[in-house]
Amino acid sequence: MADTKRQEEASLVAFYYAINEGASLEPYEDEKLIEALKDVYPVVMSENAKWYKTFLKQSKVLLNWLGHREGSKDSSYSYARWGSKKVTGIPASQYTSVYEDVFDGFNADQKALFGKGGGVKDSWNTTDVYICKTDKIKDIEDTVDSVIKDSLSSSIKSSDVAEIEIACINRYFASLLRDKICVGISLKETDYGDPKVTETNVGSTFISDIGQPEAELTTPLHTWMEIVEGKGASGIDFKGNSMTYRASFNVGEYNKNYKYESKVSSLMNHATEPRDMVRGARGGLTNARARNGSIPVPKMTKMIKDYSGEDMNHNIPRNGFSTSQKTYWKDYIKKIAADSTVRKEFGDFSITSGKTTKKYSPEEFLDKAFLIDEGFKAKTTGFPLKLRSKLRILRYMKAFIKAKRSGRMEELIAEIYFASSKVNMKDGDLSGPFIKIQ
């Protein structure tokens, strides 16, 4: 199992030694660097020194992007890994928390843009580690607090003030990144070849600057509408609970194939995770080593509303289904299943009990599911949770259908990918700026 925390801390230590100490980045040339990496990631030299060589390559491309000559020393930066109070090998005097301080300083409305319960850091900025000019840290925090947040809050009378403030903070951090003053870094494992640096959310968005993507679904939208008794912790479950598909798209310099999965998460939302598909050794497509990340819940909610025209959880109750809600969903599934605008796979709309399997029409199948749901008092786990997730999947499918009919399918396919990667595709997207090393 990957030890992500230690690997990210080791990357940061390599950056510190390369920049601050002028360490050699040629393999096995700098004993001090090797020992420092062992202190933070003891297995760094195992597997033919795979990770040691990775950290050297990451450092080389970062130095090149910074314009820092390998072997020279620059002690002007402070360093941090988001989530670590300190990192072995980096002096406390050169350790910072400026990114965390800025995020922690967001008010309730600003944090709500990035998820419930105080917001999710990754939903704003997918930075893993960062470096910042030590003598600029106080200026940065003062600028965010006094110039951007306070002045805007007092001068703008709008329900969208939180979004405007975050957009301004992002533009400010983009300028700091361009000037190499404060640089957030997202670390991703490279599937082949040497890593490269990609600036993200620093300039124009794709739609405003490059234009519409070319995209297509390469497999049907798939979810299992089959119920099996004796399956799952509650004794009855769907054959599978996710919605999956594969897609490809081209926009600007991006030429991507990805695999999408919406997995059961909570009563009112899914964990929605696209993942890159890359060429394997035999030429076929296979899962990339690095995951993209999940689409933030507020972003997914907004996208479903935009493309389907419906609130994501409309008529999906926390408790039992009313008669009108049952009628609504039986009509809904009938229309979705019959629609041929987008390819879909549901299985057989069947229920299996022991060795007997009986098939139903889509609306009859859902009627049986509602009867099963009534047998469970708690609706937040087991079959009731899975049933409500299935209804939400039908709404996801409707988003694709309406997108296809309105000529926006390509946009939706690309936006789902970019939202998981925290790349701003359209004006109004609120992911912060960073560089990706992959």
Side-chain angles (χ1 to χ4, degrees):
M1 184 175 180
D3 191 345
T4 303
K5 178 179 181 290
R6 289 191 181 187
Q7 289 165 357
E8 290 174 355
E9 289 181 347
S11 291
L12 188 68
V13 167
F15 298 161
Y16 168 78
Y17 269 80
I19 297 169
N20 200 83
E21 303 297 319
S24 171
L25 298 178
E26 294 304 312
Y28 312 109
E29 287 292 319
D30 197 305
E31 287 294 332
K32 287 180 64 177
L33 173 57
I34 293 173
E35 292 305 312
L37 290 172
K38 285 181 178 178
D39 285 342
V40 71
Y41 189 43
V43 298
V44 68
M45 303 305 288
S46 64
E47 298 182 70
N48 195 29
K50 168 192 168 183
W51 282 104
Y52 167 63
K53 294 171 185 176
T54 294
F55 301 142
L56 295 183
K57 290 178 180 180
Q58 290 175 339
S59 299
K60 280 179 176 285
V61 296
L62 177 61
L63 292 193
N64 184 62
W65 181 82
L66 288 170
H68 178 99
R69 181 172 55 83
E70 185 179 335
S72 63
K73 298 181 180 182
D74 179 357
S75 60
S76 65
Y77 283 103
S78 288
Y79 301 77
R81 174 190 176 268
W82 201 313
S84 296
K85 298 296 184 183
K86 61 180 181 179
V87 172
T88 301
I90 299 177
S93 60
Q94 283 182 265
Y95 201 83
T96 183
S97 59
V98 61
Y99 261 88
E100 288 98 325
D101 293 343
V102 168
F103 182 76
D104 290 343
F106 287 175
N107 63 37
D109 289 340
Q110 293 164 341
K111 285 185 176 180
L113 297 170
F114 305 107
K116 295 182 179 180
V120 181
K121 162 265 184 187
D122 275 351
S123 297
W124 171 52
N125 198 310
T126 192
T127 288
D128 298 310
V129 301
Y130 56 94
I131 63 175
C132 190
K133 292 286 188 179
T134 306
D135 63 354
K136 300 294 184 183
I137 291 172
K138 187 176 186 305
D139 288 343
I140 291 169
E141 292 179 339
D142 288 347
T143 298
V144 171
D145 286 338
S146 302
V147 177
I148 296 178
K149 289 167 64 178
D150 292 346
S151 63
L152 285 174
S153 296
S154 61
S155 63
I156 298 175
K157 304 298 182 182
S158 168
S159 59
D160 296 327
V161 65
E163 292 190 13
I164 296 170
E165 289 167 341
I166 295 298
C168 290
I169 292 170
N170 286 345
R171 283 196 288 270
Y172 175 53
F173 270 89
S175 71
L176 295 173
L177 187 147
R178 285 192 297 269
D179 293 337
K180 283 44 174 202
I181 293 172
C182 194
V183 182
I185 305 167
S186 174
L187 301 166
K188 298 289 185 182
E189 189 173 356
T190 306
D191 288 288
Y192 50 84
D194 292 333
K196 65 178 182 178
V197 173
T198 304
E199 295 183 3
T200 306
N201 302 333
V202 176
S204 300
T205 60
F206 284 94
I207 293 297
S208 63
D209 189 46
I210 298 173
Q212 294 288 339
E214 296 179 359
E216 65 176 348
L217 295 174
T218 56
T219 66
L221 307 177
H222 174 82
T223 193
W224 288 109
M225 289 295 185
E226 297 182 10
I227 295 172
V228 181
E229 289 188 3
K231 185 177 185 293
S234 58
I236 191 165
D237 203 348
F238 292 90
K239 185 176 180 179
N241 290 289
S242 299
M243 185 183 90
T244 60
Y245 68 80
R246 293 188 182 186
S248 64
F249 72 91
N250 296 279
V251 58
E253 64 182 22
Y254 283 80
N255 184 352
K256 294 289 183 180
N257 291 276
Y258 74 85
K259 178 182 179 180
Y260 167 101
E261 182 174 13
S262 279
K263 298 186 289 187
V264 175
S265 177
S266 70
L267 191 66
M268 304 310 285
N269 64 268
H270 282 83
T272 308
E273 299 180 355
R275 187 169 187 172
D276 277 315
M277 305 290 292
V278 297
R279 294 291 173 188
R282 297 183 180 181
L285 290 173
T286 187
N287 288 338
R289 294 173 184 168
R291 293 183 178 275
N292 290 33
S294 296
I295 299 176
V297 172
K299 174 65 176 176
M300 192 65 185
T301 301
K302 187 176 181 180
M303 288 171 59
I304 294 302
K305 177 70 172 180
D306 182 20
Y307 289 97
S308 75
E310 302 170 358
D311 291 335
M312 188 164 74
N313 289 304
H314 175 61
N315 271 337
I316 301 178
R318 293 179 178 272
N319 298 305
F321 290 91
S322 67
T323 300
S324 63
Q325 287 171 334
K326 292 177 182 178
T327 300
Y328 173 89
W329 283 111
K330 286 188 286 185
D331 183 60
Y332 203 102
I333 196 172
K334 180 180 179 181
K335 291 178 179 177
I336 295 294
D339 187 276
S340 60
T341 306
V342 176
R343 291 186 300 155
K344 301 175 293 296
E345 294 177 343
F346 296 99
D348 292 331
F349 294 102
S350 64
I351 298 178
T352 298
S353 178
K355 296 181 179 181
T356 302
T357 298
K358 187 172 182 180
K359 298 180 182 180
Y360 300 92
S361 68
E363 57 270 34
E364 289 172 339
F365 173 82
L366 202 51
D367 202 33
K368 299 294 183 184
F370 288 139
L371 285 173
I372 296 169
D373 181 75
E374 290 174 4
F376 290 86
K377 184 176 181 180
K379 306 299 185 183
T380 58
T381 59
F383 184 83
L385 171 64
K386 310 294 180 57
L387 174 58
R388 284 153 180 79
S389 295
K390 286 291 182 184
L391 300 181
R392 196 177 302 113
I393 283 172
L394 294 175
R395 185 157 283 133
Y396 291 177
M397 290 183 171
K398 186 170 185 178
F400 278 90
I401 291 169
K402 292 192 72 173
K404 178 73 171 180
R405 289 176 178 172
S406 62
R408 300 179 66 198
M409 174 70 90
E410 293 82 0
E411 180 183 330
L412 174 57
I413 290 171
E415 187 169 0
I416 285 172
Y417 177 88
F418 285 128
S420 72
S421 302
K422 313 306 183 291
V423 176
N424 293 333
M425 180 176 156
K426 299 187 292 188
D427 293 335
D429 289 347
L430 297 173
S431 295
F434 58 93
I435 62 170
K436 180 172 68 174
I437 298 181
Q438 183 178 28

